[in-house]
Amino acid sequence: MAKMRNIDRIKNYIKSKKVIAYGSGITALVFLTEASSEDVEVAYVCDGNKKKQGHKILDKDIRSPYDLIYEDVNKTVIVVCSPGGKDIINQKLYDIGFKEDNILNYYTMKNDADHMDVLLGMGRGEQTIVDMKPDSIAERKILILGGSTSDPTYEGMRSWSWYLQRKIDDIGADIKVLNAATVGFASGQELLCLLRDGIKEKPEAVISYTGYNDYAESLDLPSGGRFPFISKNLYDYHEQMIQAVKESTKEKLRPLYYGKRTEDAFAGFIYNARAMHALCTEYGVRYYLIFQPMIMNEKIRNGSFADSLIREDAVKESIERFKAFHKRFNEVKQEYPYMYDFTDIFQNEEDIFHDTCHVSEKGNEIIAGHVLELLSDDLSL
């Protein structure tokens, strides 16, 4: 049975209450667009970043979180649009007087990754790897790695791994698809997941559909730079726990060490890809890295959703990061024959993207077709 759409869950929840979005990044853009299409009125957006306050996002005012002090907490719903900082934001809202019933975490609602994985960040608990054909005892397996664009539980829609499994079944190959992709994963989390969980499944091939989360803004840490294997949500969660213990026990805790900070996201991306390839090679597994597309590569009609989205500042910044990152990828990909560029697969399609990187089921079926073509010769499908 198909899951209820996320926006329908919100509509059922808010009823006649005032709706305010917290956060003004790309996740907020997605929520505001979805809300507008379903006639859900959002009063305004608040953000703790003073540089954003006073501006607009999709014609909604961006205000200070202090404005929430003047809201009636019993008649207001806050939709938190910040996947990495939601725990800290929630605590701020509790301090103001909002209760758990008045707060919706938009990103969590879109996904079943509701656990905090101590190594990887967001997770699905024991369901780290989702079997796309659980009734099959096929010994041949393909393992998928990636972030939310490959996550089999994201938004309740059919992922490209679902379509890949059906296309494999259609040609009569006795192979099952396993999917370890999880919302928020960048290449560092993919490598750790492969090392901890994935390689033990003895897959015949590993496909990393990746790139976006390595250059996306969400991975930047508040103090600048990034740590290679630490996602922002995991970093925020650790820091929040330390602060909570300090306040409740007044004890001095040992400082945490996250590894050596790096400023070069692309170098880390290539390092992680090579490490995954080396691990797969050691175990006799074929490894494929697929550099994923984003919205700027779609054929766009004037006045369309995509056309309005790419004019937003947060998206413009993401596109510039994409261009710089992709340029470097093109410069080195010939050195690594297991790396493939899918950024143009939607070039002749319309109405594929519903935000900067997530696509419709039509898009997921197109991805699956290209992946199957990639695998056909190597795996003798």
Side-chain angles (χ1 to χ4, degrees), residues 134-145:
D135 57 341
S136 170
I137 58 172
E139 293 185 1
R140 301 181 69 190
K141 303 171 187 175
I142 295 171
L143 177 69
I144 309 297
L145 298 171

Side-chain angles (χ1 to χ4, degrees), residues 128-157:
T128 301
I129 299 176
V130 177
D131 190 336
M132 306 308 297
K133 195 176 182 181
D135 57 341
S136 170
I137 58 172
E139 293 185 1
R140 301 181 69 190
K141 303 171 187 175
I142 295 171
L143 177 69
I144 309 297
L145 298 171
S148 57
T149 52
S150 300
D151 191 318
T153 64
Y154 187 78
E155 293 191 321
M157 68 166 57

Side-chain angles (χ1 to χ4, degrees), residues 93-105:
L93 294 173
Y94 296 149
D95 293 341
I96 291 173
F98 287 93
K99 307 298 182 183
E100 187 174 347
D101 290 344
N102 302 101
I103 303 171
L104 293 176
N105 288 297

